[in-house]
Amino acid sequence: MDFSQQLSQYLLSGLATGAIYALIGLGFAIIYNSTGIINFAQGEFVMLGGMFGVYFYTVHQFPLVAALLLAVLCAAASGVAFERLAIRPMRRAPPLGLVIITIGGSILVRGIAMLVWGKDTHALPGFSGDEPIILSGATLLPQHLWIFALTVLLIIANKLFFQYTITGKALRACAVNQRAAGLVGIDVRRMVMFSFLLASGMGALAGIIVAPLTMTSYDVGIMLGLKGFCAAIIGGMSNGIGTVLGGLLLGVLEALGAGLISSGYKDAVTFIILLLILFLRPQGLFSRGESERV
Amino acid sequence: MRRELIKFALFAAVVLVIPATIKGGYLLNVLVFVGINTMLAVGLNLLLGFAGQISLGQAAFYGLGAYLSGILTATYGWNPWTAMAVAAIAVGILAFVIGFPILKLKGHYLAMATLGFGIIIYIVFNEYVDVTGGPSGFSGVPGLSLGDLHFDSDLKSYYLIWTMALLVMLLAVNLTQSRIGRALRAIHDSEVAARVLGVNARLLKVQVFTCSAIISGLAGSLYAHTVTFISPSTFGFHFSVELLTMVIIGGLGSIYGSCLGAALLTLLPEFLRTFQDYDIVVYGLLLIIMTMFLPGGLVQGFELLWMGMRRLRPGRAGRNA
Amino acid sequence: MKSRFVRMAALLLALLFAAGAAVAAEPIKIGALFSVTGPPSFLGEPERNTAQMVVDDINKAGGIKGRPIELVVYDTTGDPTKAVQLATKLIKDDNVVAIIGPSTTGETMAVKPVTEKEQIPLISCAAGIKIADPVNPCTFKTAQNDTLAVERIYEHLQKHKITKVAILTVSDGFGASGREQLKNQAAKFGITLTVDDTFGPKDTDMTAQLTKIRGSEAQAIICWGTNPGPAVVAKNARQLGIKLPMFMSHGVSSKKFIELAGDAAEGIILPTGRVIVADLLPPSDPQKKALMTYVMNYKQRYGVEGDHFGGHAWDAVMLLKKALDQGADTPATIREEIE
């Protein structure tokens, strides 16, 4: 085992983990861009996706595709319910209030999941088996390919959706200026709800597709959500490629940190780099600066 | 200012009388922790409620205070009071240094940066095993004593910690009533406008950040010497969030609100214990409902209640109007 | 010394009065601190369930000399601060005669000063060696020693002439205690640790650490942690095609691990208490009957398999019962009986 082979394994592992963070980060970005809210409950929808997936697949023995669709549907429905019950009544609240609401929401969702499904960790089988694939001396699981494919697919779908559909354009309009969007006849409330639907659905999809690798339990949402948030921040809270690059960078840094520096301090390394990025380029690595509104 | 001092004196009197009215035991023990959390919440409120700067890394300063105090006394045999002072100064210097780059950031970037800082410090507590004892914790921290008075019972700890907490509150009340307080509120409302009016916003923000860090560090030292055992899990991310919740539920910008928030969030789990496994759900629900219906926090809620009661008695309300 | 005597006298007096007031059915109050929720809930929940079950069984069988046991359980959520508060509550408000738990080493170390000051016997369910070292007459523990588990693994390695080992421990209390033992005892068995790495309790990918191990001269891997981390390690090792023999701690000796790791669990060796493999024991084994009853009852009552974490609580209650059966019902006498 020579060093270059080790390095390629670190890179590959890092990219694979990074893709997971990117998927989760996208959900943060979508909600932030259409509502200005940092949804701290985003990680919980990732958890819900995984848990619903396990529930339908292992407990009710549905076929995988059906379980996957149902799980995404259920989680998206919870996302909409969350928006209707907690976010919409708070439209005029200061941003800090909204932060607390989403924190409260995440605790609530986690608590309910714990009561319903218990505290055990669950695993899903890999979608196409667990036989490792060898790539220039480094190995990957088929599940990683699923994750990469889904990430690419989602970026493209996002791009198409936000550029070419009326709904997508309306969402972008809300992101720029909610009042102006309302004035030109966009139903802002529906758009906010829609962004929650989209984000929770995507989060759930991420949750179910990573479950065979990372396993899932009622409390996985905290850590995954935090990392996704990081990815979105590094990427400058963009809806598309920026967040994905942010996630990949995060994953690679983590893997290199664990492999080359110290596994105990790998998260510290990651966060120090995050701080440096914030200090030097507060608007994120991959986005152009915005002028500050007074 | 005078009215503020009278209010404070009344509050202090109530705090000092409380132990006589409860029959000791467990509740008193919890109230000791309410005192520590009050210090922390007031510290954060200076930053959040007055200067409008969010911090999700307060637990790190709290932990640094605790660990520095613990290590200096238990490992190096320092006098606890000296250790406490040194820890507070060290935490202050650290906060001052990182304050400049961190407070340049705004909004959720600031939240992320302080959160990241908190996590880095937490990881150091966990991984620097030779010094901190790692995840299984650090024991053998000596208790505090003044001459022959050893703070080894809940009652004595109560008075020690609440004296400190009251001092911190007095400092905060003074600060907010002063010119600095007005400048801070100006930054809160509009930083640009404040700068135009000649407020050195950047320096002021860093100073408040440092001040709140020192308070947190002190609270940490007190925690270490009271519990005599520290472990990283006390100073994690979730505690930073809990502190934030205390401040917001109590009422942003209200010193007494922070005390109320700290009391509520520290005592709440005790009352929720009857719900057993359901307590986490109830806790989440309460957070949502409180923020929805009492956005100004408990203090505002009491004010509304007070005004409502006065309106019910038209005669008095008319005289006051 | 004097104050202790006064306290003892006061206790005796109080007891005399208590005995005078209620003749027989006065319950014996035992406190329990388990992290039923929070990160270590995998320990706390089976412990709580087991303790409750055993106590109910004792009461059904007529209690201790006609007196039922009342178990007061509090959830510490794995937080040492809460554990300290709740220990105070048990002692001061509930007036328990002894405390079982807490579940983790950290919490136990936090609670220890309180119980020692109040002279209440504490029977910890955590494994760390720090708990009983230095020995204190008030603090006991039931959990299988980390020392023992490490010795078993190292003996096995010695037998197979393996001298170079990589260790991978989780960065929480359980892992830290294991790591300490693994490092301390290595020299005694002629073992050198080529890689000493850790992983976070919530980490989802350990390929980086394992790649480093693959690149080292290690002849075996010892992974020390509790679910789900080790299951991820097992899966990742398989992904990387690592063929080295892998050892795990007793922390994953539940059937859950096998479910999580799937095929990757095959060939992994771990030391464990005998609860898991109760049905595989020969009928002649003296412990078999007790273990089987425990496993059966647990499954019947809670619908899931019991594991050895619950077993720690079982041991703790039984230890206490023995002391109570001897007629001890005050903190001081219980302490003496257990010793």
Side-chain angles (χ1 to χ4, degrees):
Chain A
M1 173 74 37
D2 58 88
F3 183 71
S4 70
Q5 227 173 343
Q6 265 190 39
L7 203 64
S8 64
Q9 179 65 50
Y10 294 147
L11 284 175
L12 207 56
S13 293
L15 289 175
T17 326
I20 298 177
Y21 300 156
L23 271 180
I24 299 163
L26 279 175
F28 274 101
I30 287 180
I31 292 188
Y32 176 72
N33 280 325
S34 51
T35 62
I37 298 171
I38 298 288
N39 179 20
F40 279 96
Q42 184 62 28
E44 306 311 319
F45 295 112
V46 178
M47 175 275 288
L48 279 182
M51 292 304 272
F52 271 120
V54 169
Y55 177 72
F56 289 121
Y57 182 78
T58 3
V59 181
H60 288 281
Q61 311 273 331
F62 283 9
L64 190 64
V65 180
L68 199 137
L69 285 177
L70 270 173
V72 171
L73 222 62
C74 288
S78 342
V80 171
F82 177 58
E83 193 274 335
R84 279 306 288 270
L85 297 174
I87 303 293
R88 186 173 295 185
M90 292 288 291
R91 250 175 324 136
R92 283 176 226 298
L96 257 178
L98 285 169
V99 166
I100 298 291
I101 284 267
T102 58
I103 289 175
S106 77
I107 295 175
L108 182 66
V109 172
R110 205 181 311 145
I112 294 175
M114 184 190 88
L115 287 179
V116 175
W117 291 306
K119 292 167 202 140
D120 272 338
T121 308
H122 303 276
L124 278 176
F127 292 178
S128 7
D130 290 323
E131 276 314 309
I133 302 161
I134 298 170
L135 256 179
S136 69
T139 54
L140 262 186
L141 289 177
Q143 195 65 25
H144 289 128
L145 297 183
W146 277 96
I147 294 174
F148 285 131
L150 183 72
T151 315
V152 173
L153 203 73
L154 279 180
I155 301 175
I156 296 172
N158 254 327
K159 183 88 183 161
L160 293 178
F161 173 75
F162 281 104
Q163 292 288 346
Y164 298 110
T165 65
I166 288 290
T167 324
K169 286 179 185 169
L171 269 174
R172 276 199 300 151
C174 290
V176 177
N177 187 333
Q178 287 209 358
R179 188 184 287 175
L183 282 176
V184 296
I186 295 170
D187 186 346
V188 175
R189 288 204 293 185
R190 253 191 48 205
M191 286 302 124
V192 171
M193 192 168 90
F194 191 73
S195 70
F196 268 83
L197 177 99
L198 215 60
S200 53
M202 271 172 58
L205 203 57
I208 194 167
I209 205 162
V210 305
L213 290 175
T214 66
M215 330 230 165
T216 186
S217 65
Y218 78 101
D219 59 353
V220 292
I222 313 171
M223 208 53 198
L224 288 177
L226 212 58
K227 294 281 170 68
F229 184 36
C230 255
I233 291 271
I234 296 179
M237 279 288 173
S238 85
N239 270 345
I241 196 81
T243 298
V244 174
L245 290 178
L248 294 180
L249 182 67
L250 191 66
V252 169
L253 282 177
E254 244 184 63
L256 288 178
L260 301 179
I261 302 176
S262 145
S263 49
Y265 284 106
K266 75 174 170 16
D267 284 341
V269 172
T270 315
F271 279 106
I272 287 173
I273 289 169
L274 175 87
L275 282 184
L276 288 179
I277 290 174
L278 285 176
F279 293 164
L280 301 176
R281 277 190 72 85
Q283 70 274 38
L285 266 193
F286 309 107
S287 70
R288 265 161 281 134
E290 274 174 55
S291 63
E292 182 190 340
R293 244 185 301 168
V294 180
Chain B
M1 192 62 214
R2 186 110 177 237
R3 256 187 77 192
E4 284 300 324
L5 282 180
I6 294 172
K7 215 157 114 186
F8 179 79
L10 273 175
F11 178 82
V14 171
V15 166
L16 295 179
V17 168
I18 282 179
T21 61
I22 52 174
K23 63 171 199 317
Y26 170 63
L27 189 59
L28 195 64
N29 182 276
V30 179
L31 287 177
V32 172
F33 290 96
V34 173
I36 291 177
N37 288 342
T38 298
M39 288 176 72
L40 292 164
V42 169
L44 179 59
N45 202 352
L46 282 179
L47 190 67
L48 186 67
F50 292 100
Q53 309 297 311
I54 194 170
S55 166
L56 285 176
Q58 287 304 97
F61 297 120
Y62 180 41
L64 279 172
Y67 269 101
L68 282 174
S69 239
I71 291 164
L72 288 177
T73 51
T75 313
Y76 295 101
W78 286 33
N79 175 294
W81 298 103
T82 329
M84 193 186 279
V86 169
I89 292 168
V91 169
I93 291 173
L94 178 70
F96 192 74
V97 171
I98 65 160
F100 280 100
I102 276 195
L103 289 164
K104 235 165 66 183
L105 303 169
K106 289 187 177 58
H108 53 269
Y109 291 110
L110 180 62
M112 187 73 229
T114 48
L115 193 159
F117 170 72
I119 291 180
I120 293 170
I121 298 292
Y122 175 78
I123 292 172
V124 173
F125 291 155
N126 236 333
E127 295 295 332
Y128 201 8
V129 181
D130 295 341
V131 173
T132 64
S136 29
F138 186 89
S139 53
V141 183
L144 286 166
S145 52
L146 261 182
D148 276 341
L149 175 63
H150 300 286
F151 295 98
D152 53 0
S153 74
D154 285 341
L155 190 69
K156 290 177 203 158
S157 303
Y158 178 93
Y159 280 111
L160 171 71
I161 279 165
W162 273 102
T163 312
M164 294 290 236
L166 286 172
L167 282 177
V168 166
M169 288 175 78
L170 187 64
L171 178 88
V173 169
N174 266 321
L175 202 67
T176 53
Q177 296 293 316
S178 66
R179 236 188 83 220
I180 299 175
R182 286 196 297 278
L184 280 178
R185 271 195 291 267
I187 295 176
H188 187 177
D189 294 337
S190 165
E191 192 177 324
V192 175
R195 276 213 300 257
V196 170
L197 290 172
V199 175
N200 187 346
R202 191 148 173 230
L203 185 65
L204 205 57
K205 282 198 292 186
V206 174
Q207 282 168 340
V208 175
F209 185 68
T210 309
C211 182
S212 99
I214 291 177
I215 295 175
S216 307
L218 268 180
S221 295
L222 285 173
Y223 174 90
H225 293 298
T226 312
V227 180
T228 72
F229 169 87
I230 38 182
S231 76
S233 58
T234 315
F235 312 108
F237 167 59
H238 76 275
F239 190 70
S240 289
V241 173
E242 210 173 307
L243 277 178
L244 188 70
T245 321
M246 285 176 194
V247 172
I248 290 176
I249 282 199
L252 275 180
S254 161
I255 303 291
Y256 301 100
S258 291
C259 174
L260 210 60
L264 186 80
L265 254 77
T266 316
L267 292 170
L268 196 63
E270 307 310 316
F271 298 122
L272 290 184
R273 189 148 292 129
T274 42
F275 292 101
Q276 288 204 346
D277 283 0
Y278 294 87
D279 60 353
I280 173 170
V281 176
V282 179
Y283 182 72
L285 258 181
L286 268 178
L287 261 189
I288 295 183
I289 292 173
M290 292 272 299
T291 344
M292 274 169 94
F293 296 106
L294 270 183
L298 280 175
V299 163
Q300 193 200 30
F302 281 128
E303 275 166 14
L304 287 176
L305 199 70
W306 177 239
M307 266 153 43
M309 266 160 50
R310 290 216 300 200
R311 208 165 297 145
L312 283 179
R313 281 175 286 177
R316 283 189 60 190
R319 216 180 311 148
N320 277 321
Chain C
M1 195 58 227
K2 195 176 161 199
S3 75
R4 197 155 152 200
F5 173 75
V6 172
R7 200 178 298 154
M8 291 278 282
L11 240 165
L12 273 174
L13 267 176
L15 273 165
L16 280 176
F17 280 116
V23 186
E26 184 85 0
I28 302 173
K29 269 191 167 181
I30 297 176
L33 298 170
F34 297 129
S35 42
V36 183
T37 57
S41 62
F42 65 93
L43 297 167
E45 197 167 28
E47 281 167 0
R48 193 240 347 234
N49 291 348
T50 306
Q52 197 63 56
M53 185 175 90
V54 178
V55 165
D56 287 352
D57 285 348
I58 293 175
N59 287 344
K60 240 180 271 161
I64 308 283
K65 296 187 177 148
R67 290 174 68 182
I69 295 180
E70 187 185 336
L71 189 70
V72 187
V73 185
Y74 292 128
D75 176 12
T76 61
T77 68
D79 176 0
T81 315
K82 252 187 206 150
V84 170
Q85 293 175 358
L86 292 169
T88 321
K89 186 176 167 78
L90 284 172
I91 298 168
K92 299 221 165 127
D93 289 6
D94 298 314
N95 300 313
V96 298
V97 293
I99 295 177
I100 297 174
S103 311
T104 64
T105 309
E107 291 168 285
T108 309
M109 294 306 288
V111 166
K112 223 174 113 176
V114 179
T115 49
E116 279 169 11
K117 197 170 82 192
E118 304 287 342
Q119 299 281 305
I120 298 284
L122 180 76
I123 308 177
S124 172
C125 293
I129 38 164
K130 268 208 273 182
I131 296 169
D133 182 33
V135 178
N136 183 288
C138 268
T139 313
F140 310 91
K141 71 187 177 97
T142 62
Q144 182 183 33
N145 234 319
D146 291 3
T147 326
L148 235 70
V150 170
E151 273 171 12
R152 283 295 105 71
I153 293 179
Y154 278 173
E155 275 166 16
H156 186 97
L157 290 177
Q158 211 174 21
K159 218 184 295 166
H160 290 79
K161 306 245 169 344
I162 295 176
T163 53
K164 294 194 179 85
V165 177
I167 63 171
L168 192 52
T169 55
V170 64
S171 58
D172 63 13
F174 183 81
S177 160
R179 180 164 169 234
E180 201 181 294
Q181 279 305 314
L182 285 165
K183 279 163 95 170
N184 284 349
Q185 295 196 40
K188 204 167 69 190
F189 292 87
I191 286 167
T192 43
L193 303 180
T194 54
V195 181
D196 168 14
D197 248 334
T198 59
F199 59 90
K202 287 277 159 216
D203 279 2
T204 51
D205 184 277
M206 281 64 144
T207 43
Q209 288 95 320
L210 287 167
T211 307
K212 206 196 290 180
I213 292 175
R214 187 172 62 176
S216 75
E217 294 176 333
Q219 298 162 306
I221 304 171
I222 302 176
C223 168
W224 209 268
T226 46
N227 286 329
V232 178
V233 170
K235 280 188 170 180
N236 285 344
R238 189 164 180 270
Q239 176 201 332
L240 293 176
I242 295 177
K243 297 273 184 292
L244 300 175
M246 186 177 284
F247 297 82
M248 297 255 170
S249 70
H250 50 298
V252 290
S253 60
S254 67
K255 291 189 176 160
K256 194 78 211 166
F257 172 69
I258 299 164
E259 180 198 319
L260 290 178
D263 297 343
E266 242 163 76
I268 289 173
I269 308 164
L270 46 90
T272 169
R274 298 190 157 179
V275 174
I276 303 293
V277 287
D279 43 351
L280 298 179
L281 288 175
S284 58
D285 193 293
Q287 285 180 307
K288 174 149 183 159
K289 194 164 156 264
L291 287 173
M292 286 303 283
T293 346
Y294 165 67
V295 172
M296 298 257 292
N297 287 351
Y298 194 95
K299 177 134 201 194
Q300 205 172 14
R301 181 153 166 180
Y302 298 107
V304 287
E305 300 274 347
D307 53 31
H308 76 102
F309 295 125
H312 296 158
W314 192 82
D315 288 345
V317 178
M318 282 308 171
L319 192 64
L320 207 53
K321 180 176 181 282
K322 241 181 243 161
L324 294 172
D325 277 337
Q326 297 298 314
D329 56 359
T330 63
T333 46
I334 290 173
R335 214 173 60 228
E336 272 161 30
E337 276 303 330
I338 297 180
E339 267 182 85

